[in-house]
Amino acid sequence: MVDSTFMVDSTEATDHDLDINGIGSNESNINGLSDSEPEIKPHLILALDYGVKKMGMALGNSLTQTARAFDILAMNNGQPDWDNLIGIIKVWGVAQVVVGLPLNMDGSSSMLSKRAHKFARRLAHRIMEQHLPVTVSLCDERLTSIEAREIAWDNGWIKHERDPIDDISACILMSTYFADPNSSIAIDAVKAD
C-alpha cells in the first residue's frame, strides 16, 4: 500500500509549491515569452487516471516528489473536453503528462487499457499540434482505484462507497511514477495496438 503522505491538502499547496505566480506575469518575459504565453515549468507533471465516464487528475512536482489531487473531468464515452484539458496543461505549465494504463493483473491489455492507450496517443498528437514541449507517457496503474478508495475511506475523505476517488487514484499513479520514473513508457515509443 502506498503511503498517503503524497497527498497535499489544497490549503497547503502554496504559490511557491507550484510556482503559479510566474505564469502570465512579466517575469516570463525573461525567457522571451509574451505575457499571454505560459512559462513551461519542467517540474510539473499531470497524472491522469483515465476512465470512460470521468478522469481523475493530480498535479505532481518532480522537485519535491509530491502530488495533490487536482480535479475530476467529465468524459463523454472516453473523450474529454479537449480544449479544457489542453488549456489546463498550458495554464499550469505542465512539462509531462502521465496517463494511467489499467492492465489486467497478469500484465495483459484490457479493453480499458487499449482505450487509455488510444487516448494517450490522441493527447500527444493534440499537444504536438499546439507546439507545446510536453511529453506524454503511460504508466501501469493496476489497483490504484482500490487503493484510493481504501485511503479515502480511512482518512474520512469520502462518506459513501460510491463517492468519486478518481483524483486520489491519479495521486497514487503519480506516486508510482515517482517511485520508478523509468517504468513509464513514452507514448511515441509504444506501438499502436
Side-chain angles (χ1 to χ4, degrees), residues 48-57 71-79 112 149 162-167:
L48 301 176
D49 179 39
Y50 176 82
V52 176
K53 294 182 181 179
K54 55 191 173 195
M55 181 168 61
M57 302 172 71
D71 202 358
I72 299 175
L73 289 181
M75 300 286 275
N76 182 5
N77 193 23
Q79 297 297 311
L112 189 57
R149 189 154 311 281
R162 305 301 273 166
D163 287 348
I165 45 85
D166 305 87
D167 52 348

Side-chain angles (χ1 to χ4, degrees), residues 44-140:
L44 286 180
I45 303 170
L46 180 65
L48 301 176
D49 179 39
Y50 176 82
V52 176
K53 294 182 181 179
K54 55 191 173 195
M55 181 168 61
M57 302 172 71
L59 272 178
N61 183 319
S62 65
L63 296 176
T64 61
Q65 296 205 348
T66 57
R68 70 177 180 97
F70 183 68
D71 202 358
I72 299 175
L73 289 181
M75 300 286 275
N76 182 5
N77 193 23
Q79 297 297 311
D81 174 346
W82 287 106
D83 292 335
N84 184 30
L85 182 55
I86 296 297
I88 289 168
I89 291 168
K90 284 180 180 179
V91 168
W92 283 90
V94 170
Q96 181 177 2
V97 178
V98 177
V99 178
L101 188 63
L103 299 170
N104 290 321
M105 288 308 295
D106 64 0
S108 63
S109 291
S110 65
M111 184 58 72
L112 189 57
S113 67
K114 290 177 182 176
R115 290 188 77 172
H117 185 209
K118 187 175 184 177
F119 163 78
R121 285 194 322 268
R122 286 181 177 165
L123 177 60
H125 180 76
R126 288 177 184 261
I127 287 171
M128 181 206 54
E129 287 179 333
Q130 295 288 318
H131 305 289
L132 298 172
V134 179
T135 60
V136 177
S137 58
L138 293 164
C139 187
D140 185 358

